[in-house]
Amino acid sequence: MIITPKTRGFICTTAHPEGCAANVQSQIDYVKSCPPIANPPKKVLVIGASTGYGLASRIVPAFSGGAATIGVFFEKPGTERKTGSAGWYNSVAFEEAAAEAGLYAKSFNGDAFSNEMKASVIETIKADLGQVDSIVYSLASPRRTDPTDGETYRSVLKPIGQPYSQKNLNTDTGEVNSVSIEPAVDDEIAHTVKVMGGEDWELWIAALKEAGVLAEGFTTVAYSYIGPDLTYPIYTNGTIGKAKEHLEESTARMNSEFGEGTAYVSVNKALVTQASSAIPVVPLYISLLYKVMKEADLHEGTIEQIQRLFADHLGSEEGATLDEKGRIRIDDWEMKDNIQAAVADAWEKVTTENLSDLSDFSGYKNEFLRLFGFGLEGVDYEKDTNPERPLPSE
Ligand code: NAI
């Protein structure tokens, strides 16, 4: 099959197996080009391991520290006639590269929120690894079925208290328009916390503990975002921000149970991923941010961010450096005063007409397509390719 991108708004319904493999390989190459991490974890469980920050969190410990990894994700395998999802092909490529490097890697495709998934992962840890010493929680999901009551909760991206109007970018047409979003009702806030808060993260850690598969001195990390004032109403002070507050409460609970320095929230940089492209206003902010950060030679992608997370914090000799609220801040370069001032200035001025001058919208679009394996150097997109790719560990 010849596979081409089929995009609709923030969704691309096709993915290219060789392109995804090239994307994974370039992340592996980057990690191998960095100095080794001082104290890398050795047995790592990544929940949400197939794309974005979670994929990078699997690649860094594996290819920097030789870690055994177990990845959990929710992806679609390809069939003879239909392409799979990018996360599926990324995971196939990751496992193939891990096998070639002699590294243990197993993957679980299914619902991380379910009891069954937790039980299957625990069984495999017991059989193959004995214990895990690092658990990365990097899920981004629009819904969660809570196994205790069987109810399905849906997360929303809305402001709280009052409507929010802001500039926005139509990523299909390149038009800068505006968006107005009505505030969430109480149930929507509670449901977003149910889906994107720390409850399921804590359930994973409790289940792993109960099964006796947590190594002495294990650490666990989940990811958060803060960003600039202009996205506060839709992010930090909105429904998703409430869920991220809950993540921090989970961190405090786990640290009081297991000891300080066990659980961390890492605040990461805004980057193009399947999850972030769905948030109103954020694609315009990212397009402006990329331009400013690239010009300042401070731009990073997910792999550079996570390399820094392990090298400077989770796997460093000195341990993690925390902000006044106890969080790791790898969004530090994004939040530098000069970067934020330049983005705020461009934000005021940006229109449809000057978008390509003031922003890196073309970089945004290229990176979006790369998420699905399109536009990578060295990949022959004219060549017939087989969309059906088995996961080596299945
Ligand atoms: P992503 O969309 O690239 O990855 C989400 C992962 O979750 C995938 O591996 C997917 O298969 C998995 N997943 C979703 N539902 C699942 C389910 N029910 N069961 C098993 N796996 C499931 O997302 P991204 O952007 O990497 O986000 C990961 C975390 O990082 C989120 O907590 C997000 O809020 C946070 N973050 C993202 C930032 C960004 O700009 N992209 C910035 C800062 C934090």
Side-chain angles (χ1 to χ4, degrees):
M1 186 193 281
I2 306 289
I3 303 175
T4 55
K6 291 203 169 59
T7 55
R8 230 180 321 117
F10 54 83
I11 292 167
C12 180
T13 55
T14 53
H16 199 283
E18 277 80 18
C20 289
N23 196 358
V24 168
Q25 189 58 48
S26 75
Q27 296 192 42
I28 293 172
D29 292 344
Y30 172 75
V31 168
K32 285 183 165 169
S33 76
C34 294
I37 289 161
N39 279 318
K42 289 295 179 199
K43 294 173 182 178
V44 183
L45 168 62
V46 182
I47 301 156
S50 54
T51 54
Y53 276 114
L55 173 64
S57 307
R58 195 175 189 187
I59 292 174
V60 170
F63 287 92
S64 181
T69 60
I70 294 181
V72 179
F73 45 77
F74 211 168
E75 300 293 347
K76 199 162 46 77
T79 64
E80 223 176 283
R81 295 177 25 193
K82 213 163 179 266
T83 78
S85 55
W88 178 265
Y89 295 134
N90 289 339
S91 302
V92 170
F94 174 87
E95 281 200 11
E96 286 174 354
E100 212 167 287
L103 300 172
Y104 173 97
K106 272 202 182 161
S107 306
F108 290 80
N109 187 32
D111 184 8
F113 296 124
S114 69
N115 292 335
E116 292 74 19
M117 177 58 82
K118 294 178 177 77
S120 307
V121 168
I122 285 168
E123 208 178 295
T124 296
I125 297 173
K126 278 186 176 164
D128 295 355
L129 302 177
Q131 292 185 320
V132 283
D133 58 3
S134 168
I135 301 97
V136 178
Y137 191 84
S138 186
L139 283 192
S141 173
R143 73 188 72 81
R144 168 181 172 217
T145 301
D146 182 343
T148 55
D149 60 12
E151 202 175 315
T152 298
Y153 298 91
R154 281 168 213 287
S155 65
V156 298
L157 292 159
K158 291 189 178 180
I160 293 175
Q162 51 216 6
Y164 171 59
S165 296
Q166 195 39 285
K167 281 185 178 174
N168 193 38
L169 174 59
N170 179 330
T171 50
D172 284 337
T173 61
E175 188 198 352
V176 177
N177 49 25
S178 68
V179 65
S180 291
I181 308 162
E182 287 303 308
V185 298
D186 287 350
D187 265 4
E188 289 176 316
I189 302 169
H191 289 202
T192 305
V193 172
K194 264 291 210 191
V195 180
M196 289 297 288
E199 188 175 84
D200 181 61
W201 182 25
E202 290 185 68
L203 287 174
W204 268 99
I205 300 299
L208 295 163
K209 181 193 174 215
E210 166 90 19
V213 296
L214 289 173
E216 181 73 30
F218 79 96
T219 59
T220 184
V221 64
Y223 299 140
S224 185
Y225 182 66
I226 296 176
D229 291 355
L230 70 94
T231 59
Y232 263 36
I234 187 72
Y235 202 101
T236 301
N237 294 340
T239 49
I240 182 75
K242 284 280 170 229
K244 297 300 186 189
E245 262 173 39
H246 187 268
L247 269 190
E248 291 181 28
E249 291 157 21
S250 297
T251 309
R253 270 191 293 274
M254 289 190 276
N255 279 335
S256 78
E257 180 174 354
F258 297 101
E260 281 306 316
T262 301
Y264 294 99
V265 162
S266 170
V267 183
N268 299 356
K269 175 189 178 188
L271 282 174
V272 184
T273 64
Q274 293 183 42
S276 70
S277 48
I279 307 175
V281 183
V282 167
L284 180 57
Y285 169 72
I286 289 182
S287 302
L288 297 170
L289 178 74
Y290 274 25
K291 169 120 178 155
V292 172
M293 290 191 81
K294 283 178 183 175
E295 280 174 3
D297 208 14
L298 287 176
H299 180 66
E300 295 175 299
T302 49
I303 197 70
E304 289 87 357
Q305 279 267 290
I306 299 301
Q307 174 68 28
R308 203 148 65 83
L309 175 64
F310 279 92
D312 294 356
H313 300 281
L314 298 176
S316 78
E317 293 284 9
E318 305 76 29
T321 306
L322 306 178
D323 72 4
E324 72 292 348
K325 290 191 170 165
R327 303 168 297 205
I328 296 172
R329 300 297 299 268
I330 52 170
D331 66 337
D332 46 353
W333 298 355
E334 169 183 354
M335 298 315 290
K336 278 177 185 283
D337 289 346
N338 60 334
I339 299 290
Q340 284 302 320
V343 175
D345 183 49
W347 185 270
E348 285 303 312
K349 295 180 186 146
V350 69
T351 61
T352 307
E353 291 67 38
N354 63 24
L355 178 70
S356 55
D357 290 335
L358 292 187
S359 85
D360 184 29
F361 181 45
S362 63
Y364 179 95
K365 283 190 292 190
N366 290 341
E367 208 165 300
F368 181 77
L369 287 174
R370 281 174 72 93
L371 297 177
F372 303 91
F374 298 108
L376 282 110
E377 310 70 38
V379 176
D380 183 355
Y381 291 99
E382 308 294 316
K383 204 172 140 204
D384 209 39
T385 182
N386 179 6
E388 197 173 8
R389 304 290 171 115
L391 256 180
S393 73
E394 271 205 330

